[in-house]
């Protein structure tokens, strides 16, 4: 007998609440002879709903239960008018409701229904077709197309394959990779997962949520996937798309270092779901019901980790503005010095778009003049720099509250900029705006107000509260703190400069793209917003020190594998060849395979060598406006020869330490073997 029939469709479902509406649907099961005891079945449904609401985002309800009162697997569909009925979903009432009924002792085959239905409901075309269907027969045809029980033989084959621990077919995975800067880890993790899938004979589609943008996974790819892998250090965008899928959720570095193990774990999850559809159904209903990042998972993440993720999200969106603005300003100074001589950098900062004299580049641009091109680069670069703090603030708030946080965050960041509160002000307004927007979004309001909440109420109140508090209470202390910090940086001399460089360099070399590395990098990039048009601002020296230190480890390990190849395995020697380019491009992650194989020795050597480079760059006074690029932005670096000298010193120190430490370990191992050999004989 089919899961659903015309008699099990209610196109005008009504009820004072979800319990009354569920009763109306359940009565259809009684009428078709599939339910023998209405009250007992309703009690079983209520018991299930007492554990967790069964409302899904997008106006959907899926009440379901096993019950001794049900004779066979069944679906009942109900469609509610535009006002809907509250089914416990966070985004509002439900309009499409499926009651899923299963016999208590009827085996597990019927539990295929719930994951299939949850996947179908994630498809916009499926929901739209149900909303406009005019007859019960149309609804039955739409549902039958997407939801069906497998034949017994197929189900047994799938279960048997799962029990044996081997898939009956190549598995299909989807993955999302992301890191705070969206430059290196994101794409290296994607490549590692793709390689691991090819080696294992599986298929995988990866969505890289990086600085270059992302090509989103299609609904069809997600629906066809057996499991999902999240390898990320910032929040996954649109996580609700993957609700109802078995998911492996790890940091991005784990995908880089051990992609095969992650896919093996995902395959085991997929097999477990195939072997136990009841588990799949529970996870589908419970996980999909929340739609947002899972609340329980969020609670497991420590406050410090969440704060770092929020801040790094803001930094990742800010970096392209830093890159565009910094490189354009650096180019403008280079062109100005060619065109105007030593006073070029002083003269070029006079140009703008509003003055009534010859310095208005919009009115006096000459395509044949090098000075005009320098001025144009300066004006555009300065405009890009003007967005740094608002974007930092806006996307910190976005990481906390999603889209409702953008308006108060960006406006708060603009206010912080106008008050000269710098990046500290942007961090504070971002955190405050995100918290307020998230709080206001959680208000339970009358259904008549729900429609204007996201477009009027949330942006209005959160912006007013964020900017009002910052202007009247928080702004002045932060301005004072920022002023003291800048004065302290400007006043650093000798030992102070060296110590700051040593600390930042050590942080860059310590965990090679991990949290400590990202704190140093975030401090440097955020500080560029305070540099303005100054040629020798301390923030520019900090950026140069951080980038040089981040290049040390991969270059040093590439050198070590070339000088003493016998100390490294064959895969490490191959990685050493790639590390030349990765290190030269300021991709610290090129050293991760070495650190994964020998963490203590590599991290010690990397930290010391990177600290040497950081300290020397600060002492030499090298400067840099670009937040990334490695040797490819060498023409934009102030004191480029000294920058290269400092980098070379750190590389030599790290390479020497690696060779000494690994050589010593190899000699000890050889000595142990020699001593043990006579005993073995």
């Amino acid at each position: 007998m089919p899961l659903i029939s015309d008699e099990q469709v209610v196109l005008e479902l009504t009820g004072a609440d979800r319990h009354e509406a569920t009763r109306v649907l359940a009565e259809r099961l009684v009428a078709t002879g599939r339910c023998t005891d209405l009250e007992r079945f309703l009690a079983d449904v209520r018991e299930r709903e007492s554990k967790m609401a069964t409302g899904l985002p997008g106006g959907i309800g899926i009440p379901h239960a096993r019950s001794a009162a049900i004779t066979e697997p069944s679906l009942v569909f109900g469609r509610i008018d535009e006002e809907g009925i509250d089914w416990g979903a966070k985004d509002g009432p439900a309009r499409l409701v499926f009651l899923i009924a299963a016999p208590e002792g009827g085996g597990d085959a019927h539990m295929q229904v719930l994951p299939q239905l949850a996947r179908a409901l994630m498809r916009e075309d499926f929901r739209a077709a149900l909303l406009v269907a005019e007859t019960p027969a149309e609804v039955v045809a739409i549902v039958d197309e997407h939801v069906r029980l497998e034949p017994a033989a197929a189900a047994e084959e799938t279960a048997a394959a799962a029990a044996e621990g081997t898939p009956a077919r190549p598995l299909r995975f989807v993955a999302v990779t992301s890191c705070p800067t969206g430059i290196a880890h994101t794409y290296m993790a994607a490549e590692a997962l793709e390689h691991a899938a090819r080696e294992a004979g599986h298929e995988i589609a990866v969505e890289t949520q990086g600085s270059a943008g992302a090509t989103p996974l299609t609904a069809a790819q997600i629906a066809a996937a057996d499991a999902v892998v999240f390898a990320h250090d910032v929040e996954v965008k649109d996580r609700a798309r993957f609700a109802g899928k078995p998911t492996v959720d790890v940091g991005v570095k784990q995908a880089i270092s051990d992609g095969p193990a992650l896919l093996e774990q995902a395959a085991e999850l997929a097999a477990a779901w195939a072997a136990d559809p009841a588990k799949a159904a529970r996870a589908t209903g419970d996980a999909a019901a929340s739609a947002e990042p899972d609340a329980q998972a969020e609670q497991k993440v420590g406050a410090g980790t969440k704060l770092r993720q929020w801040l790094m999200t803001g930094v990742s969106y800010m970096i392209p503005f830093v890159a565009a603005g910094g490189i354009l300003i650096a180019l403008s100074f280079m062109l100005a010095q060619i065109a105007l001589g030593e006073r070029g950098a002083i003269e070029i900062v006079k140009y703008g778009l509003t003055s009534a004299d010859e310095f208005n580049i919009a009115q006096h641009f000459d395509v044949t003049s090098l000075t005009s091109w320098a001025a144009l680069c300066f004006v555009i670069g300065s405009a890009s720099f003007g967005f740094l703090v608002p974007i930092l603030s806006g996307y910190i708030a976005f990481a906390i509250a999603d889209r409702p946080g953008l308006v108060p965050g960006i406006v708060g960041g603009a206010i912080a900029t106008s008050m000269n509160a710098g990046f500290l002000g942007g961090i504070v307004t971002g955190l405050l705006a995100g918290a307020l927007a998230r709080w206001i979004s959680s208000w339970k309001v009358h259904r008549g107000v729900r429609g204007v909440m996201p477009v009027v109420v949330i942006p209005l109140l959160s912006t007013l509260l964020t900017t009002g508090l910052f202007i009247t209470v928080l702004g002045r202390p932060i301005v004072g703190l920022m002023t003291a910090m800048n004065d302290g940086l400007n006043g650093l001399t000798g030992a102070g400069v060296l110590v700051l460089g040593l600390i930042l360099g050590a942080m860059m070399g310590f965990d090679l793209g991990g949290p400590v590395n990202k704190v140093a990098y975030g401090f440097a990039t955020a500080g560029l917003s305070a540099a303005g048009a100054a040629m020798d601002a301390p923030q520019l020296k900090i950026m140069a020190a951080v980038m040089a230190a981040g290049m040390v480890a991969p270059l040093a390990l590439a050198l070590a594998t070339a000088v003493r190849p016998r100390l490294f395995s064959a895969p490490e020697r191959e990685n050493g060849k790639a590390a030349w380019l990765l290190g030269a491009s300021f991709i610290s992650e090129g050293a991760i395979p070495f650190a994964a194989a020998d963490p203590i020795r590599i991290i010690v050597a990397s930290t010391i060598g990177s600290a040497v480079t950081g300290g020397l760059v600060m002492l030499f006074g090298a400067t840099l406006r670009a937040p990334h690029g490695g040797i490819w932005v060498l023409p934009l670096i102030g004191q480029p020869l000294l920058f290269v000298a400092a980098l070379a010193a750190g590389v030599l120190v790290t390479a020497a330490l690696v060779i000494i430490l690994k050589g010593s370990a190899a000699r000890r191992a050889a000595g142990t073997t020699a001593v043990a050999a006579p005993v073995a004989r």
Side-chain angles (χ1 to χ4, degrees):
M1 189 174 289
L3 288 168
I4 187 170
S5 65
D6 293 4
E7 292 78 14
Q8 290 162 226
V9 176
V10 182
L11 293 178
E12 296 181 358
L13 179 61
T14 59
D17 56 25
R18 68 177 182 269
H19 301 302
E20 285 191 17
T22 302
R23 176 178 287 275
V24 172
L25 297 175
E27 287 171 350
R28 293 300 181 99
L29 292 176
V30 175
T32 56
R34 299 181 181 224
C35 177
T36 58
D37 187 335
L38 177 63
E39 297 302 327
R40 182 171 182 178
F41 174 56
L42 290 174
D44 291 333
V45 173
R46 288 196 186 96
E47 181 184 0
R48 166 62 187 85
E49 295 221 338
S50 68
K51 299 174 182 175
M52 180 175 287
T54 54
L56 302 182
I60 299 162
I62 51 167
H64 55 276
R66 294 172 180 262
S67 176
I70 298 298
T71 60
E72 59 187 288
S74 304
L75 286 177
V76 187
F77 171 74
R79 187 172 69 198
I80 308 167
D81 63 21
E82 292 185 0
E83 289 191 357
I85 295 175
D86 182 15
W87 227 276
K90 295 181 180 180
D91 67 337
R95 290 197 60 202
L96 302 176
V97 180
F98 280 95
L99 174 63
I100 306 172
E104 188 173 54
D108 283 336
H110 63 277
M111 295 306 288
Q112 302 163 28
V113 174
L114 187 49
Q116 287 185 42
L117 183 59
R119 292 168 189 169
L121 287 167
M122 297 301 291
R123 298 178 52 154
E124 186 174 350
D125 57 342
F126 180 74
R127 299 195 304 269
L130 291 174
L131 286 171
V132 299
E134 296 182 355
T135 66
E138 286 184 49
V139 172
V140 172
I142 293 166
V143 173
D144 283 344
E145 184 180 349
H146 293 85
V147 183
R148 62 178 62 87
L149 292 176
E150 291 182 6
E156 290 172 6
E157 179 184 343
T158 302
E164 294 171 6
T166 57
R169 57 175 172 77
L171 296 177
R172 295 177 180 175
F173 300 115
V174 291
V176 176
T177 62
S178 65
C179 69
T181 56
I183 295 172
H185 277 92
T186 300
Y187 303 101
M188 293 177 70
E191 184 177 350
L193 291 173
E194 289 167 352
H195 177 73
R198 283 194 301 270
E199 291 293 315
H202 301 313
E203 299 176 21
I204 191 168
V206 184
E207 179 179 315
T208 52
Q209 296 182 353
S211 291
T215 301
L217 294 163
T218 66
Q221 287 174 314
I222 296 172
D226 296 287
V228 180
V229 177
F230 292 148
H232 64 115
D233 285 339
V234 295
E235 289 294 337
V236 173
K237 301 170 190 172
D238 299 326
R239 190 177 183 131
R241 296 173 291 163
F242 306 94
K245 293 282 186 180
T247 302
V248 176
D249 194 334
V250 297
V252 68
K253 289 179 69 175
Q254 191 168 339
I256 297 172
S257 61
D258 205 358
L262 286 186
L263 291 191
E264 184 177 340
Q265 185 180 348
E268 290 173 358
L269 271 180
W273 279 45
D276 186 1
K279 181 190 296 183
R282 288 193 297 273
T284 299
D286 296 346
S290 65
E292 299 175 1
D294 185 75
Q296 293 180 350
E298 190 173 331
Q299 290 174 359
K300 294 178 183 176
V301 177
T305 299
K306 285 194 288 186
L307 178 62
R308 179 176 62 82
Q309 289 178 341
W310 297 337
L311 295 178
M312 290 298 102
T313 298
V315 169
S316 70
Y317 281 96
M318 181 189 73
I319 283 174
F321 290 85
V322 178
I327 292 173
L328 284 170
I329 290 174
L331 283 173
S332 75
F333 288 159
M334 289 174 57
L335 295 175
Q337 288 178 336
I338 295 171
L340 303 173
E342 293 183 359
R343 292 187 55 81
I346 298 174
E347 293 295 320
I348 209 67
V349 300
K350 297 178 182 179
Y351 283 87
L353 298 173
T354 58
S355 64
D357 54 21
E358 70 274 16
F359 293 110
N360 187 324
I361 191 61
Q363 297 178 5
H364 299 92
F365 181 76
D366 180 359
V367 71
T368 64
S369 169
L370 198 58
T371 302
S372 289
W373 284 105
L376 183 66
C377 288
F378 176 77
V379 169
I380 297 173
S382 297
S384 179
F385 256 43
F387 285 96
L388 298 190
V389 174
I391 293 299
L392 173 67
S393 174
Y395 281 93
I396 289 173
F398 172 79
I400 299 171
D402 212 334
R403 280 185 290 182
L406 278 176
V407 173
I410 291 174
V411 174
I415 293 291
T417 299
S418 66
M419 293 180 65
N420 295 319
F423 75 91
L424 288 180
I427 290 173
V428 171
T429 55
L431 294 172
L432 180 60
L436 289 170
R438 187 168 180 171
W439 172 57
I440 296 171
S441 299
S442 69
W443 290 357
K444 301 294 184 183
V445 298
H446 189 273
R447 64 180 60 179
V449 182
R450 288 192 193 118
V452 297
M453 282 291 287
V455 294
V456 177
V457 178
I458 297 173
L460 174 64
L461 293 181
S462 59
T463 302
L464 176 63
L465 291 172
T466 299
T467 55
L469 283 170
F470 192 80
I471 291 170
T472 59
V473 179
L474 302 173
R476 282 173 292 179
I478 293 172
V479 170
L481 181 60
M482 194 70 190
T483 301
M485 180 183 296
N486 287 332
D487 289 344
L489 289 174
N490 287 321
L492 283 177
T493 58
V497 170
L498 177 62
V499 169
L500 179 59
L502 289 171
I503 293 172
L504 291 173
M507 292 174 71
M508 289 299 294
F510 177 70
D511 56 357
L512 304 170
V516 177
N517 173 288
K518 287 297 185 280
V519 168
Y521 183 70
F523 173 71
T525 53
L528 289 176
S529 63
M535 292 285 288
D536 60 348
Q539 291 85 359
L540 304 182
K541 299 174 185 176
I542 289 172
M543 188 69 251
V546 163
M547 189 170 82
M551 297 166 66
V552 167
L555 289 174
L557 287 160
L559 177 61
T561 57
V563 173
R564 289 290 181 87
R566 62 181 179 79
L567 294 175
F568 300 89
S569 65
E572 286 177 329
R573 290 195 292 272
E574 288 301 312
N575 286 327
K577 297 174 184 177
W580 286 113
L581 179 60
L582 294 173
S585 302
F586 181 38
I587 299 176
S588 304
E589 292 82 355
I592 288 177
F594 299 93
D598 191 1
I600 301 299
R601 297 179 185 88
I602 299 301
I603 289 174
V604 168
S606 171
T607 301
I608 294 173
S610 299
V612 169
T613 290
L616 289 176
V617 169
M618 290 292 290
L619 276 181
F620 293 159
T623 59
L624 176 64
R625 287 187 177 276
H628 215 280
I631 63 168
W632 314 115
V633 294
L634 196 60
L636 307 180
I637 295 174
Q639 305 286 3
L641 295 179
L642 292 175
F643 177 92
V644 171
L647 174 60
V651 168
L652 291 173
V653 168
T654 297
L657 286 173
V658 168
I659 291 170
I660 291 169
L661 293 173
K662 291 183 78 69
S664 176
R667 286 191 296 272
R668 284 198 302 271
T672 302
T673 304
V675 170
V679 177
R681 286 196 293 269

